[in-house]
Amino acid sequence: IRRRTSATMQIGVSRPAAWRVRLARLDAVADEAATDTDRWLTAGEAARLQAMSAPARRRSFLAGHWLARRLAADWLQLDAARIALNRHADGRPLLLVDAEPVPLSLSLSHSGDWLACAISAVPVGVDVELPSRVRDWQALARFAFSPDEADRLQRASDAQRSGVFHVLWTLKEAHGKRSGEGLLPERSRRVTTLASDPSRAEACSWPLGEGALAIASEPGLRIELVDGDALGEPAYWRYRDDG
């Protein structure tokens, strides 16, 4: 990772930066990640990699786990060689330093040419989604969106529908990653994403090409978005549990 610029955005006031989010092109990380993997992959990661048959999946797995190490090393001001990844019981990444778990939350996402990684001292979830094919937005909305969200998608114009869908979908995925439960359709349909003022927001989203990037954590935090200057200011959101 050779270039670094950052933009810090405020959610709430008088708080130190509490999320660091790294957005990177897959090609900018993948070749470095594929070098000398025997040196930096853990046995568990190597076993997971071995089970993957698709070259593209293997490439994104290596790149994502390498990016996570670099982000954690920068956050902790440690040599990346001291950092490793395992998994929590629910599948979330578990950050290790000198083979011991550390109390930080880590989240990874990959779609198309993009990788996203978030680290925080509190639970955090990140999701990036780029459209890869024509999809049935309404069927997917019935699967995972609340009635209010499905209505928002229905009312969107044809030109807006893909953008509205991807913002809502990434916010749903980020919410599930934050809690560790993942995107459970029955549960997801009982949670409504609402626009929020920054002081109450627990999630942010940005358009990314024809898709979106979203982060979910706790209200009142500051975000440091690395290499994401071109995304501009985020939209702010909160979640209402109707269940």
Side-chain angles (χ1 to χ4, degrees), residues 147-158:
D148 179 76
E149 292 166 333
D151 183 60
R152 272 184 261 167
L153 184 66
Q154 177 65 39
R155 287 186 282 106
S157 68
D158 291 344

Side-chain angles (χ1 to χ4, degrees), residues 13 18 45 54 68 91 136 138 140 159 171 204 216 218 238:
V13 294
E45 288 171 304
D136 187 338
Q138 298 300 334
L140 289 167
L171 286 164
C204 293
E218 293 182 354
R238 62 184 177 88

Side-chain angles (χ1 to χ4, degrees), residues 63-103:
H65 282 234
W66 177 253
L67 185 69
R69 281 168 166 80
R70 303 297 296 182
L71 184 66
D74 188 47
W75 175 279
L76 295 168
Q77 294 296 288
L78 295 175
D79 187 331
R82 297 176 60 188
I83 294 171
L85 295 185
N86 204 329
R87 287 194 290 180
H88 288 279
D90 59 20
R92 288 174 299 151
L94 173 62
L95 187 64
L96 306 174
V97 174
D98 299 332
E100 294 294 330
V102 294

Side-chain angles (χ1 to χ4, degrees), residues 13-27:
V13 294
S14 301
R15 296 287 298 273
W19 304 342
R20 185 169 292 174
V21 184
R22 176 75 163 85
L23 183 66
R25 289 279 188 179
L26 178 62
D27 287 345

Side-chain angles (χ1 to χ4, degrees), residues 9 11 167 171 194-198 201-207 213-215 223 231-238:
M9 289 154 286
I11 299 181
V167 166
L171 286 164
L194 301 170
S196 175
D197 62 89
E202 55 188 303
C204 293
S205 70
W206 296 261
L213 167 70
I215 307 153
I223 314 164
L231 294 180
E233 287 294 315
Y236 296 98
W237 307 89
R238 62 184 177 88

